């Protein structure tokens, strides 16, 4: 469902590059994150931010017509 909705919004599948948006898997939940490049991702957690390499889905920038 997420992939279909992202495509309808004009997003394309990502490759893990800096600036892409991804769904990150943390030990106890999922969070939205931003690609830092080199297969690293940053996401908001209670009290700050954390980085991880556990991305579930990622999307590149919106394609403009």
């Amino acid at each position: 469902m997420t992939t279909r909705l992202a495509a309808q919004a004009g997003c394309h599948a990502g490759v893990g590059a800096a600036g892409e948006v991804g769904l990150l898997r943390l030990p106890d939940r999922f969070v939205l994150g931003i690609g830092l490049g080199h297969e690293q991702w940053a996401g908001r957690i209670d009290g700050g931010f954390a980085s991880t390499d556990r991305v579930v889905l990622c999307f590149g920038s919106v394609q403009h017509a």
Side-chain angles (χ1 to χ4, degrees):
M1 180 178 85
T2 304
T3 303
R4 182 176 51 83
L5 292 173
Q8 288 176 354
C11 294
H12 60 85
V15 295
E20 291 184 344
V21 176
L23 181 63
L24 311 179
R25 181 189 310 263
L26 298 181
D28 60 343
R29 62 187 153 184
F30 293 93
V31 298
L32 187 63
I34 300 293
L36 302 174
H38 306 289
E39 299 181 18
Q40 287 294 305
W41 296 81
R44 176 90 168 90
I45 61 170
D46 294 338
F49 289 87
S51 64
T52 184
D53 61 356
R54 295 177 163 194
V55 64
V56 177
L57 297 169
C58 69
F59 298 98
S61 61
V62 174
Q63 296 176 351
H64 299 284

